[in-house]
Amino acid sequence: MAVSGFEGFEKRLELNFSGEDGLIAAAENGLRDLDFEVIQQVLSEVQCTVVSAMSNTCMDSYVLSESSLFVYPTKIIIKTCGTTQLLKSIPLLVSQAHHLLGLHVTSCRYTRGSFIFPKSQPFPHTSFKDEVHYLNLTLPSHLCYRKARVLHPSKKSSSHCHTWHVFCASDHQHAHLFDDNNNDEHDDNGHDDHGGAFTMEVCMTELDQGLAEKFFGGGEVTVREMTWATGIGEINPNQVVCDFAFDPCGYSMNGIDGGYYSTIHVTPEEGFSYASFECNGELEEEILEDGRVNVYDMLEKVVQVFRPAKLSVAMTGASRSMSTRLRSVVESFGLTRRSCSGDEFPGSGKIVFQTFSTSRRK
């Protein structure tokens, strides 16, 4: 293992907003009306820049020098890797949305895995305790329902697995608080089915080295070749893709399909190789009815592309049936589930975190 290198594990921040009346008209652009100069100022606080962008009628999508940004009328998602200071985006985003657009923040969700190089992270990302302290000081007081927790494997399997750090905050109207009793550990029979949207975040380490080598450019491999030669372009053929290859190595992709997005980021260096995949959607029945690629097919293709030795799946809004089927998809590739934990969070509902690994030799 390398002593130091580029940090692949991302930090992810999602902020939701509403107008003073609690609603925003469908015809209004909301956060999408923020000037690009404001977006640049926010990213300057984070210490990253826009390298590519695209839009549709539902959202604006930006590939960043360190990962991705998605802007909806009432929601913004920023995902950054490396030594970025993601949480420093909050004060400017909240103030500009309020003063320029009359929007106020209604909920916040911050998630991340366990850093490969934690000692390289700057404040406030020096520890989860520091992150939670910073969030508690920075977020407006009306987000009064707050919860922070690390979802982690059992001690027996901890050496094989990733961990998942979650902080959620919400105002009273959007809290959706649940009974916290007996939420420490969940198995497949402990998940309650419920409606709504979901977000799937997949983290993969120890990638197949032959595959990882395809993400080294060297001036000879184009970004389109990376997208299609690896199979990434087939994960969701319905989406419009905006991709970017970094010099000398590394890859990022945003895909948008109506109001749905997916994003992939790859750090291919041997010894600390990493890839992530994230997508959102509605309940599986709705996905199948409207002809979209379902989440199980996408996850299957993702694992097939990257062939990792270690993998974790965090599902926000997961139902019991989804968690069970996702496990089956991953285990069909020879990975064994090492842990499953979950909890309820204000403004986000249930988050279920599963970890998998294989005995493949490095």
Side-chain angles (χ1 to χ4, degrees):
M1 175 66 71
V3 174
S4 63
F6 186 81
E7 180 60 65
F9 273 95
E10 299 97 346
K11 317 164 184 87
R12 181 188 186 276
L13 176 68
E14 178 176 325
L15 297 173
N16 288 276
F17 295 80
S18 72
E20 294 302 327
D21 58 356
L23 299 171
I24 182 170
E28 294 179 356
N29 287 324
L31 295 167
R32 299 181 69 183
D33 279 338
L34 287 173
D35 290 339
F36 184 64
E37 289 74 16
V38 174
I39 298 295
Q40 289 178 309
Q41 291 172 14
V42 170
L43 296 177
S44 177
E45 294 293 319
V46 178
Q47 298 186 346
C48 62
T49 59
V50 173
V51 297
S52 187
M54 64 179 175
S55 299
N56 63 14
T57 57
C58 298
M59 75 179 93
D60 301 316
S61 162
Y62 302 89
V63 176
L64 306 179
S65 55
E66 280 83 12
S67 299
S68 295
L69 164 66
F70 298 94
V71 183
Y72 291 84
T74 59
K75 177 170 66 179
I76 188 163
I77 299 166
I78 312 180
K79 187 170 186 171
T80 64
C81 55
T83 55
T84 51
Q85 296 169 283
L86 176 59
L87 297 183
K88 290 190 174 182
S89 66
I90 293 175
L92 187 58
L93 271 175
V94 171
S95 64
Q96 295 289 60
H98 178 69
H99 294 302
L100 299 179
L101 305 174
L103 299 175
H104 64 273
V105 63
T106 59
S107 67
C108 166
R109 181 165 83 244
Y110 173 70
T111 56
R112 68 166 175 86
S114 294
F115 297 128
I116 301 173
F117 308 108
K119 293 183 179 179
S120 299
Q121 291 297 316
F123 183 82
H125 300 286
T126 38
S127 70
F128 188 52
K129 181 179 179 180
D130 289 341
E131 290 171 323
V132 171
H133 181 68
Y134 184 87
L135 283 160
N136 281 327
L137 290 177
T138 304
L139 290 170
S141 59
H142 70 270
L143 299 187
C144 53
Y145 295 90
R146 303 183 181 191
K147 185 172 184 175
R149 185 180 169 190
V150 180
L151 301 176
H152 54 77
S154 64
K155 292 182 179 180
K156 182 178 179 180
S157 60
S158 60
S159 62
H160 297 278
C161 302
H162 305 155
T163 59
W164 197 242
H165 304 71
V166 183
F167 174 94
C168 293
S170 176
D171 63 9
H172 178 75
Q173 182 179 353
H174 300 86
H176 305 305
L177 287 174
F178 297 84
D179 183 2
D180 285 337
N181 294 330
N182 302 317
N183 278 326
D184 287 340
E185 297 296 329
H186 300 265
D187 58 22
D188 289 336
N189 295 319
H191 306 153
D192 294 325
D193 289 317
H194 63 280
F198 70 82
T199 303
M200 180 172 72
E201 299 173 70
V202 182
C203 299
M204 298 165 281
T205 54
E206 299 178 31
L207 310 180
D208 178 85
Q209 195 54 38
L211 177 280
E213 290 173 356
K214 296 180 180 179
F215 295 100
F216 284 80
E220 299 179 359
V221 181
T222 68
V223 65
R224 283 294 173 179
E225 289 174 324
M226 290 183 184
T227 299
W228 292 99
T230 59
I232 287 174
E234 297 295 333
I235 292 174
N236 181 0
N238 297 333
Q239 65 187 357
V240 179
V241 170
C242 181
D243 43 17
F244 192 87
F246 296 90
D247 186 23
C249 64
Y251 171 89
S252 289
M253 181 280 287
N254 288 350
I256 56 177
D257 178 15
Y260 302 105
Y261 71 86
S262 68
T263 183
I264 290 175
H265 305 284
V266 184
T267 301
E269 292 95 329
E270 187 173 5
F272 49 94
S273 62
Y274 170 85
S276 66
F277 173 80
E278 178 182 331
C279 68
N280 69 335
E282 302 295 328
L283 284 175
E284 68 176 293
E285 292 82 5
E286 295 180 29
I287 294 175
L288 296 175
E289 286 174 1
D290 66 14
R292 298 182 186 276
V293 179
N294 71 59
V295 66
Y296 314 110
D297 288 343
M298 286 193 285
L299 180 59
E300 179 179 0
K301 292 175 183 177
V302 166
V303 181
Q304 191 170 39
V305 166
F306 292 103
R307 301 187 292 278
K310 295 181 181 179
L311 177 148
S312 64
V313 182
M315 288 289 297
T316 301
S319 67
R320 179 177 58 192
S321 60
M322 289 182 72
S323 298
T324 302
R325 288 187 64 182
L326 291 171
R327 174 185 182 178
S328 298
V329 169
V330 176
E331 291 192 329
S332 70
F333 287 90
L335 289 93
T336 300
R337 191 175 78 170
R338 305 294 180 178
S339 68
C340 179
S341 58
D343 208 342
E344 307 280 3
F345 292 87
S348 295
K350 184 181 293 294
I351 297 180
V352 177
F353 180 65
Q354 301 185 79
T355 65
F356 303 83
S357 68
T358 181
S359 59
R360 186 180 74 197
R361 295 180 64 185
K362 297 181 182 179

